[in-house]
Amino acid sequence: MHIPEHGFSALRLLAFLALINVVLPQCSTKTPVIFNFGDSNSDTGGFVAGVGLEIAYPYSRAFFRRPTGRASDGRLVIDFLCEYLDTHYLSPYLDSLEPDFTNGANFAIVGASTLPKSIHSFNLGKTNFLEKHDFENALYTLDIGQNDLSGSFWSLSYAQVIERIPSFISEIKDAMWAIYRVGGRNFWVHNTGPLGCLPRELAIRSNGSAGDYNEYGCLTPLNQGAKAFNAQLEALCEELRSQMENATIVYVDVYSIKYDLVANSTHYGFKNPLMACCGYGGAPYNYDDSKTCLDSEHTVCEEGRQHISWDGVHYSEAANSIVASKILSTHYSSPPLQFDFFCNNAASSFCH
């Protein structure tokens, strides 16, 4: 079954970012409490729990060996960040079967966008959940936004997409202020990745002119749109640093991390960087919008074979592990604070 990537708006915000607020005075003695808000890039089973549609095997095959609701063959970036903090993976907040919320909850939903709560069912207007929980150790993460740009490029011209970006940024701004008002003080903001390098985007636009592609085969207009969004997101971070008293806001250039995987794919051991592992149609992209990895007719690469893209939209566990390690390196962060910094502050927040 095909899951639409433009359908929902989990928690009223953001465009391809993850917002995490964490209070970790002593990570070694206190369990980090994490609240993640996002889309399919950080959904650990919320869509499956809430809607009842299965994300079946071979999803999650590389690590969990069973379907978990993750849109990948294994662990997501948020899973690796949880491992770094030595806490267990996040349970979906919609999970009704013996959920474990001792270390927080995951509000991420497949298809989430930044569109306001008046438009979609899942939204961030539910800050009342946070207000009811006075955690001394709390981490609020957000991983959302890719769908806004992708959905806009479906029906709008490049110029029209650029015109819409301020509305996405406005939703992100409102969300960050909402978190701040319930106690969030440190924000870790991830920008959006190179949309034009995703196999899905390349496959559905395969009739583009030669001038639309860069030297690595990515679609330049979509990547330029992502860069335009990121520039405004970075400007927002700078603005809020001057407005949010006692707040720390770290901006992380995830675009550069993910683009580097494509540009230097052989260095990381990846072959066919623009081709999905699980999909239909074979080279060059192995993606067919009518026969995806969720359909019975899909084909899938051999286990252990390294692909950047798992299903044409989402990254593989192998790619996610590299992305997470580079995030933790601080080389892509401004200011370049160690992730451990948030273990020693009274109130911290991360945006992805």
Side-chain angles (χ1 to χ4, degrees), residues 63 90 189:
F63 181 78
L90 297 181
V189 182

Side-chain angles (χ1 to χ4, degrees), residues 36 44 50 67 72 89 112 170 176 184 197 213 230 232 249 263-264 282-283 332:
N36 180 70
T44 56
S72 176
Y89 306 129
S170 178
M176 293 178 70
C197 298
Y213 300 88
N230 291 340
Q232 294 189 39
I249 301 174
N264 297 291
Y332 298 85

Side-chain angles (χ1 to χ4, degrees), residues 39 71 109 128 161 234 240 246 259:
D39 57 20
I109 299 289
N128 60 326
V161 172
E234 185 173 18
L240 294 182
N246 299 321
Y259 188 74

Side-chain angles (χ1 to χ4, degrees), residues 45 68 71-72 99 132 140 157 187 197 208 224 228 241 246 257 295 343:
T68 64
S72 176
K132 293 177 181 177
Y140 302 91
S157 67
F187 298 87
C197 298
Q224 291 296 335
R241 286 188 189 107
N246 299 321
I257 295 174
D295 296 298
C343 290

Side-chain angles (χ1 to χ4, degrees), residues 108-123:
I109 299 289
V110 167
S113 70
T114 69
L115 296 177
K117 61 182 179 179
S118 60
I119 297 178
H120 291 306
S121 301
F122 297 102
N123 61 75

